Amino acid sequence: MSATPQKNRATRRVLAAAAGLATVGALVAAMPAGAQDRGHGHGHKPRTVDVQLLSFNDLHGNLEPPAGSAGNVSETQPDGTVKAIPAGGVEYLATSLRTARKGNPYSVTAAGGDMVGASPLLSGLFHDEPTIEALNGLDLDVTAVGNHEFDEGADELARLQNGGCHPVEGCYEKGKKFKGADFPYLAANVTKEKTGRPLLKPYTVWKKNGVKIGFIGVTLEGTPDIVTANGVKGLKFHDEVETINKYARELDRKGVKSIVALIHEGGAPASTSYNYDCDSPGAGDGISGPIVDIAKGITPKVDALVTGHTHQAYVCTVPDPSGKPRMVTSASSFGKLYTDTTLTYDRRTKDIVRTSVKSANHVVTRDQAKATDMTRLIDRWNKLAAPIASKPQGWISADINGRGSTAPEKPLGNVIADAQLEGLAPADKGGAEVAFMNPGGIRADLVHKASGSEGDGVVTYGEAFTVQPFTNMMNVVDLTGAQLVSALQQQVSGGNEASPKILQVSKGLTYTLDLTKSGADRVVAGTIKLNGEAIDPARTYRVAMNEFLAGGGDGFAALGEGTNKLVGASDLDLFNAYLAAHSTAAAPLAPPATDRITVIQ
């Protein structure tokens, strides 16, 4: 399964990087005796060659620099203080990657999934064709699928790979047909239920001048729990470790001994600073989360792990099953960082010299030159989007933080839940008494500073869409008080115990979250009240939520038990209606108080 699209690009890169060949020679010359061949003859190749692996993950169609706090990365300074650096945007990502490749004749660029999905309007409005086009321009060689690649189902994912115009909306530009990705999307652990065959290629082999590196791509096994049922219809998701080990054996049999796994699953480092030393030995240091056990179970045949999903930045070593350290990396999200890993390839064994694997994350700063081809791409699509994107929806008096807030209760979460309750409270709209919003569905902050020519404080349709890009249909269902209590406890127990998912709640619902306790006890049952009255376990309540939560998504099985369902407007329509009803230029909407969840730490 050779990755043909790379061939022309590789040739272009060889010419561009010919000047840099001398440096590789110098590196090899500086290696200890025995590390390289002693051969003299004419045209003899050195025994080892350094392959540069550039990687990033969770771009989510963020072609323009992400706004507000969601566009910052944290950097710990020598004096221990933490500085926020504005980062990201494909104009800068392209420049960063192209600069990094200079002087590296062997360079391969890989991604860890969620390149598209939950995208801002500029990409989302066009079913993410602009992002695929940008990734082609960035010379991406390969990516794993992430859970968001399934947001619109398997057929739409196949179209992103193979090209062709959208089945409903057709072609967006006159006389232009969408070409699709010129890099392979890998989905080793996703099979079709009917045939048992892989949905897409499980792996690809990158080749250059006799150097061969295999890439296996998987998404998290729990993808069906975090994607709408329609998105994963007819598909099966398999264990990440078993799948990677199976295909690593297959590659090994084919003579491919150097293998990188691209895994759309991740962890949480002890610090959110991108330059944190993940391998520092202090108590409480290092990394936790699902990727740790996955990394410990993956065969030593795999030489490095590029991960994602958690939107965290880390460069860690986790021991493989034989006890040897192995590099596990993730580059935050939204194109704000990229990882540069050096893989030393031994031509005789055809394997990576694991002891010399080096890796570091680098900030995609916004003070470097913009890549003009990416600026042209953004301008072209922005012109198409402008009539819809620039329509004002409402006004705000200051930033209302959502994605950028680390608190359990987010100001923007309150606004969204209130919008859903207000829109669905009328008897003919469902008679909702309370609304729940999943925190992961809030994709950005509402930023006071103007993003274009609309003026400060104006919320445009494009900005509102960036916050709520899924356009999930709203549901209102009957749940008993007992089921409501169970749902709130499921935020911090079961599959959500290790990393709690705190629902955003509409006004009137209050309770105490005691983080000093463990499991379901963290939600103090006796404190749960609606409009000042204790929840009655036997009573039936009308509850509003998006269709994803109503399907039991994000580990909220209790919310999936609702009956007497009424389908309402989309979450985005309700959000925009609320902004229009509660703000004017003279009286903008202020960030709401966050006093619904009392947190004990």
Side-chain angles (χ1 to χ4, degrees):
M1 292 204 176
S2 119
T4 40
Q6 281 90 322
K7 288 199 180 142
N8 314 342
R9 289 215 295 265
T11 330
R12 281 209 305 277
R13 274 189 220 151
V14 180
L15 297 172
L21 279 166
T23 49
V24 174
L27 284 172
V28 172
M31 288 179 87
Q36 50 174 310
D37 264 344
R38 286 266 177 278
H40 293 290
H42 193 62
H44 179 77
K45 285 178 177 171
R47 171 153 173 192
T48 62
V49 56
D50 278 349
V51 177
Q52 177 189 53
L53 170 63
L54 300 175
S55 56
F56 57 98
N57 50 278
D58 295 275
L59 180 65
H60 290 287
N62 278 265
L63 301 180
E64 295 173 298
S69 56
N72 293 336
V73 291
S74 300
E75 179 182 76
T76 301
Q77 306 302 299
D79 66 359
T81 58
V82 177
K83 182 177 161 189
I85 303 172
V90 293
E91 295 158 296
Y92 304 112
L93 179 60
T95 300
S96 286
L97 295 174
R98 288 164 188 171
T99 306
R101 288 174 189 140
K102 281 182 185 148
N104 288 287
Y106 293 85
S107 183
V108 56
T109 304
D114 277 5
M115 294 296 98
V116 301
S119 308
L121 188 82
L122 176 61
S123 187
L125 191 61
F126 306 107
H127 294 279
D128 285 311
E129 289 180 22
T131 298
I132 298 294
E133 198 181 298
L135 292 169
N136 288 343
L138 286 177
D139 285 342
L140 182 62
D141 289 303
V142 57
T143 182
V145 293
N147 52 291
H148 283 281
E149 263 83 19
F150 294 93
D151 283 348
E152 294 188 45
D155 289 349
E156 178 60 6
L157 173 55
R159 186 182 77 87
L160 291 179
Q161 177 72 83
N162 304 320
C165 297
H166 192 269
V168 178
E169 291 170 40
C171 301
Y172 295 111
E173 294 176 289
K174 216 179 162 130
K176 266 195 179 175
K177 190 180 162 202
F178 173 58
K179 291 191 174 73
D182 68 10
F183 50 89
Y185 255 116
L186 305 181
N189 66 331
V190 187
T191 57
K192 297 176 189 170
E193 273 178 356
K194 277 188 180 149
T195 62
R197 293 175 67 82
L199 175 69
L200 295 166
K201 285 167 76 160
Y203 59 78
T204 190
V205 180
W206 179 84
K207 296 176 184 165
K208 182 152 181 199
N209 298 344
V211 172
K212 286 195 282 195
I213 298 181
F215 288 88
I216 303 167
V218 297
T219 184
L220 67 153
E221 187 182 4
T223 291
D225 305 330
I226 50 175
V227 174
T228 57
N230 276 345
V232 292
K233 213 173 175 173
L235 302 176
K236 268 187 98 148
F237 292 77
H238 303 272
D239 182 84
E240 304 93 340
V241 175
E242 286 170 20
T243 305
I244 291 168
N245 290 351
K246 169 183 154 182
Y247 287 112
R249 285 193 300 272
E250 191 171 309
L251 282 165
D252 190 50
R253 281 199 304 273
K254 289 182 170 180
V256 179
K257 308 291 182 190
S258 298
I259 302 171
V260 175
L262 309 174
I263 307 172
H264 191 70
E265 177 60 290
S271 159
T272 54
S273 291
Y274 83 90
N275 57 340
Y276 164 65
D277 176 9
C278 197
D279 293 338
S280 53
D285 272 333
I287 183 171
S288 59
I291 199 62
V292 179
D293 286 339
I294 290 173
K296 286 177 178 169
I298 289 174
T299 169
K301 291 184 199 303
V302 174
D303 299 294
L305 276 53
V306 171
T307 72
H309 188 54
T310 55
H311 291 205
Q312 302 291 316
Y314 48 84
V315 172
C316 305
T317 56
V318 177
D320 71 15
S322 73
K324 283 205 193 100
R326 177 168 54 193
M327 203 58 83
V328 179
T329 66
S330 171
S332 180
S333 64
F334 300 171
K336 293 181 288 191
L337 298 176
Y338 70 91
T339 314
D340 188 336
T341 303
T342 304
L343 301 171
T344 302
Y345 182 91
D346 184 325
R347 288 182 186 275
R348 192 184 291 168
T349 63
K350 298 181 179 161
D351 208 345
I352 300 298
V353 183
R354 282 261 293 277
T355 48
S356 60
V357 175
K358 289 186 290 293
S359 194
N361 274 326
H362 301 278
V363 182
V364 176
T365 58
R366 297 184 197 167
D367 56 7
Q368 56 188 325
K370 294 179 178 184
T372 52
D373 56 331
M374 293 296 153
T375 306
R376 282 195 304 273
L377 181 147
I378 288 170
D379 290 349
R380 209 179 84 230
W381 288 103
N382 261 332
K383 275 195 189 76
L384 286 176
I388 295 171
S390 56
K391 274 193 188 138
Q393 303 297 312
W395 290 263
I396 55 173
S397 64
D399 286 4
I400 305 182
N401 280 348
R403 193 79 193 177
S405 163
T406 52
E409 182 185 346
K410 305 169 194 313
L412 189 51
N414 287 358
V415 173
I416 291 169
D418 288 353
Q420 294 177 355
L421 177 62
E422 185 170 294
L424 301 169
D428 62 332
K429 298 280 192 286
E433 299 166 82
V434 62
F436 291 135
M437 174 65 194
N438 54 309
I442 307 168
R443 303 306 297 188
D445 301 337
L446 274 187
V447 178
H448 185 261
K449 190 175 184 290
S451 57
S453 56
E454 77 274 11
D456 288 351
V458 178
V459 179
T460 63
Y461 184 85
E463 290 165 337
F465 182 98
T466 298
V467 168
Q468 294 253 272
F470 298 110
T471 19
N472 274 318
M473 301 316 287
M474 291 301 299
N475 291 182
V476 186
V477 299
D478 281 351
L479 286 171
T480 64
Q483 287 169 321
L484 268 187
V485 173
S486 288
L488 291 171
Q489 290 173 331
Q490 283 166 358
Q491 301 177 111
V492 288
S493 62
N496 292 333
E497 179 154 10
S499 51
K501 290 194 172 78
I502 305 302
L503 294 165
Q504 306 300 290
V505 298
S506 56
K507 62 173 181 281
L509 187 82
T510 54
Y511 70 94
T512 297
L513 185 66
D514 186 347
L515 296 175
T516 64
K517 296 184 169 154
S518 63
D521 291 341
R522 292 177 190 165
V523 171
V524 185
T527 63
I528 307 170
K529 291 180 176 169
L530 184 58
N531 303 323
E533 284 184 25
I535 292 284
D536 176 354
R539 196 194 131 193
T540 297
Y541 294 84
R542 292 293 282 164
V543 185
M545 62 193 102
N546 59 43
E547 58 192 335
F548 169 64
L549 278 179
D554 263 353
F556 291 102
L559 296 181
E561 294 165 4
T563 56
N564 197 11
K565 178 167 79 176
L566 185 134
V567 177
S570 77
D571 50 9
L572 180 61
D573 286 347
L574 293 181
F575 184 49
N576 283 330
Y578 186 85
L579 290 171
H582 291 271
S583 67
T584 61
L589 182 70
T594 49
D595 53 5
R596 300 170 191 183
I597 306 171
T598 305
V599 182
I600 299 171
Q601 277 177 316

